Amino acid sequence: MKIIQTLVLSLAFFLPLQILTAQEVLDRIIAVVGDRIILQSELFQYSYSLAIQLGIDPQKDQAKIEELRGETLQNLVAQKVLLVKAEEDSIIVSDKQVDALLEQQINQMVQQAGSEEKVEEFFGLTLRQIRRDFRKDVEERLLVDMVSNRKRQ
């Protein structure tokens, strides 16, 4: 009986530790600005997108990709600082402004890709899903632009 209790206690103690060490890290926080975080996946996504826009092959030119990641991280931190400032100054953008810019960007993507289907294929999402996923980014970009324009005046 004593052996069974010891075995059960050992399993109860070591099994959770084993499960914890077996878990895979899915994402990491790489920077915090105010109450906003920058995830590693966000950095990689923006860097990859920028590389494609610049015609850099992410698979072949790792040195340029690392350089882009550094620049992208600096830009993301600066953007988050401006977003915190926009929040402090109670700056808001209207849904109409967000929708207009979002449609403009989607139309640009469709024009560059050649069709709506090609855009959907590239992102692996429907246009409706793309709009939903990009909406927050567009809103944040508008807020950043508004804060930047106020600083210049």
Side-chain angles (χ1 to χ4, degrees), residues 40-78:
Q40 185 176 27
S41 61
E42 183 181 7
L43 173 63
F44 286 1
Q45 177 186 358
Y46 281 109
S47 300
Y48 183 80
S49 178
L50 184 58
I52 298 299
Q53 289 174 9
L54 296 173
I56 298 170
D57 185 345
Q59 303 299 322
K60 294 182 181 176
D61 203 343
Q62 287 296 317
K64 283 188 179 177
I65 292 299
E66 287 303 316
E67 185 179 326
L68 272 179
R69 281 189 186 137
E71 292 172 13
T72 302
L73 179 58
Q74 290 175 350
N75 290 335
L76 286 170
V77 168

Side-chain angles (χ1 to χ4, degrees), residues 94-145:
S94 71
D95 287 341
K96 190 175 182 178
Q97 290 172 296
V98 174
D99 291 338
L101 184 57
L102 182 58
E103 283 308 308
Q104 180 183 0
Q105 289 183 340
I106 288 179
N107 289 337
Q108 257 182 328
M109 286 188 275
V110 169
Q111 189 176 21
Q112 288 175 342
S115 71
E116 289 181 358
E117 291 77 21
K118 287 183 180 179
V119 171
E120 290 176 337
E121 183 181 325
F122 177 79
F123 286 102
L125 302 167
T126 65
L127 284 179
R128 175 180 239 156
Q129 291 169 321
I130 293 169
R131 281 183 182 90
R132 184 194 65 221
D133 290 353
F134 280 50
R135 185 171 179 69
K136 182 82 172 153
D137 291 337
V138 169
E139 181 180 3
E140 288 181 353
R141 189 169 326 123
L142 283 169
L143 286 168
V144 166
D145 288 348

